[in-house]
Amino acid sequence: QVQLVESGGGLVQAGGSLRLSCAASGRTFSIYTMGWFRQAPGKEREFVAAISASGGNSDYANSVRGRFTISRDNAKNTVYLQMNSLKPEDTAVYYCALAGLWTSRLHDYDLWGQGTQVTVSS
């Protein structure tokens, strides 16, 4: 059974930091683009960050660029999202996802985790 399992969410004050992790099993992790997306209540799911299979390329939404860093450890089948200088508007359920091509488009990702809640208090 192929799975993506996120962890690391929680409640943090504005200006604080969190690191999300996403562990993959059941596939050859190192050949896939990995992405992070988020969905706030009443809003559509949106792109946050993506990292290429080798880790050599990354892309970020403008709203998180300079504050968030995506990374991956292919030996551990895990992708990370380091989130610094968090803002209340970063509050959302965060999902990791897997794609077979280099992309930031939500609909190109064909495997999703269950999500982890991030809440930033003001």
Side-chain angles (χ1 to χ4, degrees):
Q1 185 74 14
V2 176
Q3 276 191 314
L4 298 176
V5 180
E6 300 99 334
S7 61
L11 174 64
V12 64
Q13 289 188 333
S17 299
L18 282 175
R19 188 176 83 153
L20 306 183
S21 299
C22 173
S25 63
R27 286 197 186 185
T28 307
F29 176 78
S30 62
I31 67 173
Y32 293 100
T33 293
M34 297 299 298
W36 286 97
F37 294 78
R38 67 187 181 186
Q39 188 167 17
K43 295 188 177 181
E44 294 185 351
R45 194 170 299 189
E46 64 176 5
F47 170 75
V48 174
I51 188 166
S52 62
S54 67
N57 291 320
S58 59
D59 190 21
Y60 297 91
N62 289 335
S63 59
V64 307
R65 194 183 305 274
R67 300 188 298 122
F68 290 11
T69 303
I70 189 171
S71 61
R72 67 191 295 162
D73 185 339
N74 285 344
K76 295 183 178 180
N77 283 7
T78 302
V79 61
Y80 305 97
L81 186 69
Q82 178 66 45
M83 305 185 295
N84 298 330
S85 302
L86 283 161
K87 304 175 181 180
E89 52 263 44
D90 294 317
T91 295
V93 177
Y94 283 71
Y95 299 89
C96 70
L98 176 155
L101 69 159
W102 174 240
T103 181
S104 61
R105 300 197 316 166
L106 183 148
H107 295 292
D108 288 332
Y109 286 78
D110 60 0
L111 181 66
W112 293 80
Q114 84 289 350
T116 186
Q117 177 71 46
V118 171
T119 302
V120 185
S121 63
S122 57

